[in-house]
């Protein structure tokens, strides 16, 4: 339909190569709304008669209700197919005017902005639910003592809730980033036309308002050439899915027989075709993989836009699949992990057993020596390290099971003036519970701190929920208003 200069029609293979039709299905709805708003504005500015507008709107409403009536064969993209549909249905005299003062270059980026605006609201809402689920689980496991790990080696005593709250904080930062990107996405490029605007009088602010945008992307080159807001969005998703990957990885490790700290619900587990005993964490493993996929979507997008000349180039079409893919993949991953967290079983006894037989109390013991004996930390570190060395050589005996004679020889070797009985008492008293109680610093896993963190995270997430709902209502409200304006023209 667009071929005014070329005499020959496109080679079939080239047409297939050029076509973005497959991925355009996701933006068709927005293309219709954008076309309605644009046509109303054209009428208001005197470029379409009421009769012409009515015809165009009636075809667009038909397309909205029956999208499968739009012929897609033989067209380069959905923009061409939709315009052809309108022209075929209402004739060239009316339909042929729809594309006045517009180009596919401002049109496609308008559609994607509207789509991503909705996606951000959906991802934010899913993320809010996930954070709520994680915090709820934390409330139920505030006192579930377990080892914490560095280098995957037992490090200090913590609680399961402390891990969960650490995820919630990271997810809250993902939320903050995502919430901010919205403002940069929610600006209308429509009316920038091909690259340099139009000599016809158009009202860009009017179409922006009709479509629920906060403002317009002012510069027409910027409006048609820039994809940075989408890159920022995809980068945010890549960071977010890497957070999800970390959560998934922790859960995978802790659900092994060797750890046995948690058990995934049957509904979130897969099995083996061969080994009947298997209960595998496949959904979580896929979340790990999705983090890589979303990252690669971002890298594809960056690679495509890096150093493109200003002004639309067809390369930009290929930004769409990874962008839409990153959205869909992230949304899926959030929903799966949300369900997995809410339904997982916490095996508190197993966690406590691991904590109580662990050398993860070593630092607490050293700190007791610092506090009670005013010992330099370095000296305390040496004593406790030597005690652990002795205990470990006795088949990993817990420190509390050391003999007084072991303690005496360690103290003698380290040349410190501490009574063996006193040290024995410190060691024996250092249960996982005592360790948690003694950990006083802000943000540590003691009960009071857990409760404070739960409170502040719950408050934070409910504030975001209000903002997300307000944004969603604003978009929906502007679409409802647009729908009413369309109906008014169609009924007059
Ligand atoms: N299908 C194209 C895309 O997705 C639409 C814009 C085409 N513009 C052009 N000047 N060829 O980006």
């Amino acid at each position: 339909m667009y071929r005014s200069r070329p005499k020959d029609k496109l080679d079939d293979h080239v047409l297939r190569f050029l076509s973005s039709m497959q991925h355009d299905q996701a933006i068709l709805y927005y293309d219709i709304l954008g076309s309605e708003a644009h046509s109303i504005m054209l009428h208001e500015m005197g470029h379409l008669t009421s009769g012409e507008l009515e015809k165009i709107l009636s075809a667009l409403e038909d397309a909205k209700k029956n999208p499968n009536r739009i012929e897609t064969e033989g067209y380069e993209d959905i923009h061409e197919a939709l315009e052809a549909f309108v022209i075929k249905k209402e004739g060239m005299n009316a339909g042929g005017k729809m594309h006045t003062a517009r180009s596919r270059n401002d049109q496609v980026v308008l559609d994607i902005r509207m789509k991503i605006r909705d996606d951000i609201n959906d991802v934010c809402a899913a993320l809010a639910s996930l954070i709520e689920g994680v915090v709820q689980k934390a409330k139920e496991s505030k006192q579930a003592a377990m080892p914490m790990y560095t280098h995957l080696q037992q490090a200090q005593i913590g609680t399961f809730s402390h891990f969960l709250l650490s995820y919630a904080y990271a997810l809250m930062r993902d939320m903050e980033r995502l919430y901010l990107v919205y403002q940069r996405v929610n600006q209308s490029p429509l009316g920038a036309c091909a690259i340099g605007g139009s000599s016809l009088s158009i009202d860009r602010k009017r179409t922006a308002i009709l479509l629920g945008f906060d403002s317009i992307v002012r510069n027409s080159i910027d409006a048609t050439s820039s994809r940075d807001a989408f890159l920022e969005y995809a980068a945010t998703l890549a960071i977010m899915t890497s957070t999800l990957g970390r959560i998934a990885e922790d859960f995978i490790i802790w659900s092994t027989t060797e750890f046995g700290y948690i058990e995934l619900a049957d509904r979130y587990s897969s099995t083996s075709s061969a080994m009947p005993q298997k209960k595998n964490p496949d959904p979580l493993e896929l979340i790990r993989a999705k983090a890589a996929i979303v990252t690669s979507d971002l890298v594809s997008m960056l690679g495509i836009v890096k150093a493109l000349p200003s002004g639309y180039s067809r390369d930009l079409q290929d930004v769409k699949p990874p962008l839409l893919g990153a959205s869909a993949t992230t949304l899926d991953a959030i929903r799966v992990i949300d369900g997995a967290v809410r339904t997982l079983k916490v095996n508190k006894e197993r966690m406590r057993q691991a904590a109580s037989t662990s050398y993860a109390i070593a630092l607490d013991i050293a700190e007791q020596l610092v506090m009670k004996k005013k010992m330099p930390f370095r000296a305390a570190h040496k004593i406790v390290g030597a005690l652990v060395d002795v205990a470990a050589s006795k088949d990993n005996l817990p420190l509390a099971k050391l003999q007084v004679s072991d303690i005496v020889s360690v103290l003698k070797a380290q040349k410190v003036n501490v009574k063996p009985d006193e040290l024995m008492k410190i060691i024996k008293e250092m249960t996982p519970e005592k360790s948690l109680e003694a950990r006083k610093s802000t943000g540590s896993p003691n009960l009071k701190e857990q409760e404070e963190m739960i409170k502040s995270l719950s408050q934070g997430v409910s504030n975001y929920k209000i903002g997300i709902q307000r944004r969603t209502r604003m978009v929906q409200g502007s679409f409802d208003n647009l729908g009413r304006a369309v109906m008014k023209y169609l009924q007059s």
Side-chain angles (χ1 to χ4, degrees), residues 336-347:
V336 168
I337 206 156
D338 186 352
V341 172
R342 288 172 189 268
T343 55
L344 66 78
K345 201 176 123 231
V346 184
N347 191 347

Side-chain angles (χ1 to χ4, degrees), residues 59-158:
L60 289 170
E61 281 298 298
D62 186 16
K64 205 197 295 174
K65 282 187 205 95
N66 309 292
N68 44 4
R69 278 198 201 151
I70 303 169
E71 180 62 57
T72 53
E73 206 55 45
Y75 298 113
E76 282 184 36
D77 54 32
I78 203 67
H79 318 295
E80 185 180 24
L82 183 64
E83 189 183 339
F85 174 83
V86 173
I87 291 173
K88 190 161 167 212
K89 193 155 182 282
E90 302 294 342
M92 181 58 89
N93 286 344
K97 289 190 174 175
M98 183 174 76
H99 208 57
T100 310
R102 184 173 75 159
S103 153
R104 281 184 297 165
N105 300 351
D106 57 346
Q107 196 178 345
V108 68
V109 73
L110 169 82
D111 297 355
I112 302 175
R113 280 176 181 269
M114 293 201 313
K115 163 75 175 137
I116 297 304
R117 181 174 67 176
D118 280 351
D119 284 3
I120 294 177
N121 286 334
D122 288 347
V123 177
C124 278
L127 191 56
S129 162
L130 170 60
I131 297 172
E132 282 179 334
V134 169
V135 171
Q136 178 53 38
K137 208 70 187 176
K139 276 189 197 156
E140 297 160 17
S141 53
K142 285 182 294 201
Q143 279 160 307
M146 67 178 276
M148 297 189 286
Y149 301 84
T150 64
H151 313 268
L152 257 188
Q153 304 284 334
Q154 295 184 349
Q156 284 185 276
I157 303 295

Side-chain angles (χ1 to χ4, degrees), residues 192-471:
C193 307
I195 178 167
S198 173
S199 51
L200 291 157
S201 54
I202 55 171
D203 187 345
R204 294 192 58 197
K205 293 210 173 107
R206 175 70 176 137
T207 46
I209 289 168
L210 281 169
L211 296 169
F213 286 99
D214 291 336
S215 58
I216 62 168
V217 186
R218 185 159 198 143
N219 182 297
S220 64
I221 303 175
D222 185 34
T224 50
S225 312
S226 300
R227 296 293 185 271
D228 58 288
F230 303 150
L231 293 175
E232 190 182 356
Y233 171 60
T236 303
L237 298 186
I239 296 169
M240 188 186 306
T241 49
S242 80
T243 312
L244 301 183
R246 172 158 68 95
I247 302 172
E249 175 69 353
D250 281 349
F251 288 172
I252 289 168
I253 293 171
W254 296 335
S255 64
T256 56
T257 313
E258 285 71 11
F259 279 81
Y261 294 168
I262 59 172
E263 188 182 341
L264 295 179
D266 284 355
R267 286 189 297 139
Y268 287 86
S269 306
S270 196
T271 187
S272 156
S273 63
M275 298 164 282
Q277 85 282 12
K278 287 288 244 164
K279 190 173 166 187
N280 293 330
D282 296 31
L284 296 181
E285 290 169 339
L286 280 173
I287 284 172
R288 263 187 332 210
K290 301 302 178 205
I293 290 171
V294 175
T295 303
S296 72
D297 289 333
L298 168 65
V299 173
S300 300
M301 291 167 64
L302 280 167
I304 292 166
V305 303
K306 148 204 97 58
L308 271 187
S310 289
Y312 181 87
S313 299
R314 196 61 174 253
D315 314 45
L316 290 173
Q317 175 169 290
D318 273 350
V319 166
K320 212 184 304 156
L323 175 64
L324 297 175
S327 263
T329 306
T330 306
L331 200 52
D332 265 354
I334 296 174
R335 288 178 176 153
V336 168
I337 206 156
D338 186 352
V341 172
R342 288 172 189 268
T343 55
L344 66 78
K345 201 176 123 231
V346 184
N347 191 347
K348 294 183 184 166
E349 292 73 42
R350 182 73 197 90
M351 288 176 174
R352 188 179 188 287
Q353 191 209 343
S356 62
T357 54
S358 167
Y359 297 131
I361 37 140
L363 178 54
D364 297 301
I365 295 172
E367 288 187 342
Q368 289 294 315
L369 290 174
V370 169
M371 270 186 278
K372 294 193 170 137
K373 307 308 297 172
K374 303 285 171 247
M375 197 181 276
F377 174 74
R378 189 51 57 222
H381 186 276
K382 288 250 163 352
I383 296 174
V384 183
L387 287 173
V388 171
D389 193 41
V390 174
S393 71
K394 299 187 170 188
D395 206 15
N396 286 327
L397 203 63
L399 288 175
K401 297 240 162 82
L402 281 173
Q403 306 288 320
V404 188
S405 56
D406 296 325
I407 295 178
V408 170
S409 54
V410 165
L411 288 174
K412 215 181 251 163
Q414 299 292 326
K415 298 193 185 70
V416 280
N417 191 18
V418 175
K419 293 199 191 84
D421 283 355
E422 225 175 323
L423 180 50
M424 187 68 150
K425 188 162 176 277
I426 290 174
I427 296 171
K428 284 227 155 56
E429 279 176 5
M430 196 45 75
T431 58
E433 289 70 26
K434 179 77 196 297
S435 156
L436 291 169
E437 207 185 293
R439 214 81 56 71
K440 290 200 205 62
S441 56
T442 306
S444 55
N446 76 42
L447 188 57
K448 214 173 122 268
E449 279 296 312
Q450 301 293 291
E451 278 162 355
E452 291 292 324
M453 289 189 258
I454 288 170
K455 219 174 17 186
S456 98
L457 283 161
S458 304
Q459 186 59 53
V461 78
S462 59
N463 290 344
Y464 273 112
K465 275 174 74 177
I466 294 168
I468 299 159
Q469 277 159 9
R470 197 192 48 213
R471 283 176 170 177

